[in-house]
Amino acid sequence: MTHRMALPLFPLPNLVLFPAVALPLYVFEERYRALLRDVQSSGEPFGIVRVLAASQTSDRPFQERVSRVGTLAHLHQAQLHDDGTSTIVVVGGERFEVEEFHTDHPYLSADVRLWPLERDPLGEEAAQASARHLLSSVLRLRPEDAQELRQAAPDDPLLLASFAANVLPLDGAQREEVLRAPTLLDRLELLLGMVPSSAKLMN
C-alpha cells in the first residue's frame, strides 16, 4: 500500500537532504515562519525539495522550478529569536515524490507519496560490500581527515550512503540523482561512480 500525505515544502537551492542527516536551517522569510508554526502545531514533518531554477533565471511559477522528489524533514530543535526568526535543526527521513503541488498556503505544499527504496535483488551482503568499498574511497580522497571521517562514518549501509553523499564534492543535481536511486545498492554504486578518479585509482 502506497503511503500518501499532505506536506508543507521548504525548497532550498542546490540542497538535497538524505535519511538520518542533521541539517541546521535559519528561518527568516515570513512564509517559512508560517510553515514552522504549522509544523510545530501539528508535530508532523515537512518536506525539503531542491530549487531547480532561481526566480532571477526563470519566469516560470515557483512550483515548476522545484524538484518533484524530496525528503521528509523531522524537526529536532527550534530556537525562536527576538526578531521572529528561528534557528532549527531537522533530521532527514523517508524519500517522497510529489503528486500535486498546492499554493493555498503562504508557503508551497504538496500531496506526496512516500517512496521507499526497493529491496535489493543481490541482498544485504552486496550492499555491505559496496558500502565498505565506498568508505575506503572516501577515506583515500580525504587522507587529511581520514581518522575523523572513519570515526564519524556509520556502519549501516543506508546511513553510510547518506554520509558519503554529504562528504563527497557533489553538486545538487548529482545528489538528487543519488537520492532517486531505486535500491540501496544502486545508491551506493552511484556514489562510488562519483568518487573522483584520483581516489578510485588506488582501490
Side-chain angles (χ1 to χ4, degrees):
M1 180 178 165
T2 303
H3 187 171
R4 289 176 167 82
M5 60 195 299
L7 204 62
L9 296 180
F10 198 133
L12 291 163
N14 294 317
L15 193 140
V16 176
L17 181 63
F18 283 89
V21 171
L23 174 68
L25 293 171
Y26 179 57
V27 181
F28 61 93
E29 284 187 60
E30 186 52 51
R31 57 182 164 173
Y32 298 123
R33 294 186 199 186
L35 180 152
L36 180 57
R37 288 193 296 270
D38 289 350
V39 165
Q40 288 177 307
S41 174
S42 70
E44 296 293 319
F46 59 97
I48 287 183
V49 290
R50 185 168 70 98
V51 177
L52 304 176
S55 56
Q56 296 92 328
T57 60
S58 173
D59 57 2
R60 288 180 294 158
F62 189 34
Q63 64 269 28
E64 294 179 18
R65 294 187 284 106
V66 299
S67 175
R68 298 185 76 92
V69 173
T71 310
L72 295 183
H74 296 273
L75 188 61
H76 184 63
Q77 294 175 11
Q79 181 180 2
L80 179 65
H81 305 300
D82 291 341
D83 61 0
T85 65
S86 294
T87 303
I88 67 173
V89 176
V90 299
V91 177
E94 277 200 70
R95 172 178 67 175
F96 64 80
E97 189 168 31
V98 171
E99 295 192 323
E100 185 179 3
F101 287 111
H102 298 290
T103 55
D104 53 343
H105 293 283
Y107 48 82
L108 189 64
S109 63
D111 294 327
V112 308
R113 68 171 185 90
L114 295 186
W115 184 19
L117 288 166
E118 298 167 20
R119 185 179 294 275
D120 282 309
L122 295 178
E124 197 175 313
E125 284 186 20
Q128 292 278 6
S130 185
R132 287 194 296 271
H133 190 185
L134 177 59
L135 177 58
S136 67
S137 296
V138 169
L139 296 177
R140 289 188 177 101
L141 182 67
R142 302 263 299 269
E144 69 284 0
D145 304 323
Q147 186 174 351
E148 187 180 334
L149 289 171
R150 188 186 296 279
Q151 289 174 346
D155 293 327
D156 181 271
L158 174 67
L159 304 185
L160 191 278
S162 296
F163 176 79
N166 279 294
V167 170
L168 289 172
L170 309 180
D171 61 26
Q174 288 174 308
R175 287 193 169 93
E176 183 165 315
E177 185 183 355
V178 170
L179 183 68
R180 287 174 176 267
T183 70
L184 175 55
L185 186 58
D186 290 330
R187 183 174 288 176
L188 292 162
E189 294 295 324
L190 256 178
L191 285 162
L192 264 170
M194 292 174 179
V195 174
S197 56
S198 57
K200 274 190 214 160
L201 291 173
M202 301 175 67
N203 283 329

